[in-house]
Amino acid sequence: MSAGYPSLASRSRGAEVLQIRHMRAAYARVVDFEAVKAAATPDLVRCAVGAAANAQDLLGDAELLAAAGRRPRAYALAALAVEEAGKAASVAALAMMPVSLRAQAPAGRLLEWHQLKLISGMLIAAVPPGTGTRTMAAQFAAMAPERVAEILDNAQTLGQDQDRLKQRGLYVDIDRSGQVRLPSEVTVADVAAQLRQARRAVSSASVLLDPRTPAFLANPPAEAIELWRALVSALADTGYGRTPRAAAGVWVEAVRRLRERLS
């Protein structure tokens, strides 16, 4: 930890405060999807930048809780940081879309489908930080279909584990066999792996914090628009399953359509 951070004892005492603050925020959040779709581009840009900054804060709090030995909550917040990075990308996508395309975009699925945000965040983590949306779109278009499938297959598997462990990090539950699932079952290895994933996702999303971001999002390159057009199209054609498999399938189809559009 860097200089100026509180002592381990202070961090431990503050762990429950962090937990309560984030759980309250999660329950209180209500998204007005029509307002999002109707928002002006500068407002969407501010929202995307804010989500990227919040992803950094969630990661920072997860690091704080992990250092204090609060493994379950640290894991849950690290998973939320990945989701928030994915949401930052979704809002940035809405900002880049032409108004006519934005009106067709399923904002609810983009912003509240947790598995899609997890997959999107992990996909962002696969792109080297600082490359920007243009390079991301170009990379997807240039990737062999097998490579895209491999990345998303891994993301799907991780997404299943992350969603399960994120919930286990916050709640006690009981499965159909009668086995009680406890937050304390989240291991040190689970937390370390999730923190690594969150650091990559947040690092990649941090390109939105660049001062040049508003100008880029207001005037995106053609391939970036085509990427999000392909994603909207894939979402419109998919079913209403909310599983990591379905989320990965949306991205596989979006990349396939992007490659067709740019060929």
Side-chain angles (χ1 to χ4, degrees), residues 234-257:
L235 274 169
D237 289 348
T238 194
Y240 285 90
R242 294 294 182 103
T243 65
R245 176 184 290 275
V250 167
W251 269 109
V252 166
E253 181 61 15
V255 173
R256 185 189 69 78
R257 296 183 187 196

Side-chain angles (χ1 to χ4, degrees), residues 1-248:
M1 288 290 178
S2 61
Y5 269 65
S7 67
L8 184 61
S10 297
R11 282 179 262 164
S12 182
R13 287 194 297 271
E16 293 300 330
V17 175
L18 287 172
Q19 174 194 347
I20 291 169
R21 186 181 77 191
H22 284 290
M23 290 180 71
R24 283 178 177 171
Y27 281 110
R29 181 177 58 84
V30 176
V31 179
D32 186 336
F33 301 121
E34 291 306 314
V36 170
K37 291 171 71 170
T41 297
D43 295 329
L44 290 172
V45 172
R46 284 195 293 273
C47 185
V49 171
N54 191 46
Q56 285 190 334
D57 288 345
L58 286 166
L59 174 59
D61 287 349
E63 300 270 15
L64 191 66
L65 287 166
R70 307 293 293 181
R71 296 193 310 273
R73 277 47 167 186
Y75 189 100
L77 288 188
L80 287 174
V82 176
E83 282 190 31
E84 192 75 345
K87 184 171 74 177
S90 295
V91 177
L94 288 168
M96 285 186 281
M97 291 177 191
V99 174
S100 59
L101 178 61
R102 191 184 303 164
Q104 302 170 28
R109 303 196 78 194
L110 280 170
L111 301 178
E112 283 216 325
W113 184 358
H114 297 298
Q115 289 85 355
L116 182 65
K117 288 187 292 184
L118 272 172
I119 296 294
S120 298
M122 286 183 279
L123 196 58
I124 290 169
V127 179
T131 57
T133 306
R134 179 171 190 165
T135 301
M136 185 174 76
Q139 283 183 353
F140 289 161
M143 276 183 191
E146 297 78 14
R147 176 56 179 155
V148 175
E150 178 188 2
I151 291 173
L152 288 168
D153 186 57
N154 292 337
Q156 174 190 318
T157 301
L158 286 169
Q160 290 171 333
D161 292 340
Q162 287 183 6
D163 196 47
R164 174 178 56 83
L165 287 172
K166 180 187 69 177
Q167 298 299 324
R168 190 180 294 181
L170 294 174
Y171 309 113
V172 173
D173 205 352
I174 187 168
D175 64 21
R176 292 182 179 180
S177 68
Q179 183 174 1
V180 176
R181 301 291 186 180
L182 303 173
S184 58
E185 293 174 350
V186 175
T187 68
V188 172
D190 290 332
V191 175
Q194 181 54 36
L195 283 173
R196 286 194 297 271
Q197 187 70 42
R199 291 183 194 113
R200 289 195 296 268
V202 169
S203 179
S204 293
S206 68
V207 299
L208 292 170
L209 304 179
D210 189 298
R212 296 167 293 182
T213 290
F216 176 86
L217 297 183
N219 188 29
E223 65 264 29
I225 295 174
E226 290 303 325
L227 171 61
W228 305 125
R229 192 184 301 277
L231 181 62
V232 168
S233 177
L235 274 169
D237 289 348
T238 194
Y240 285 90
R242 294 294 182 103
T243 65
R245 176 184 290 275

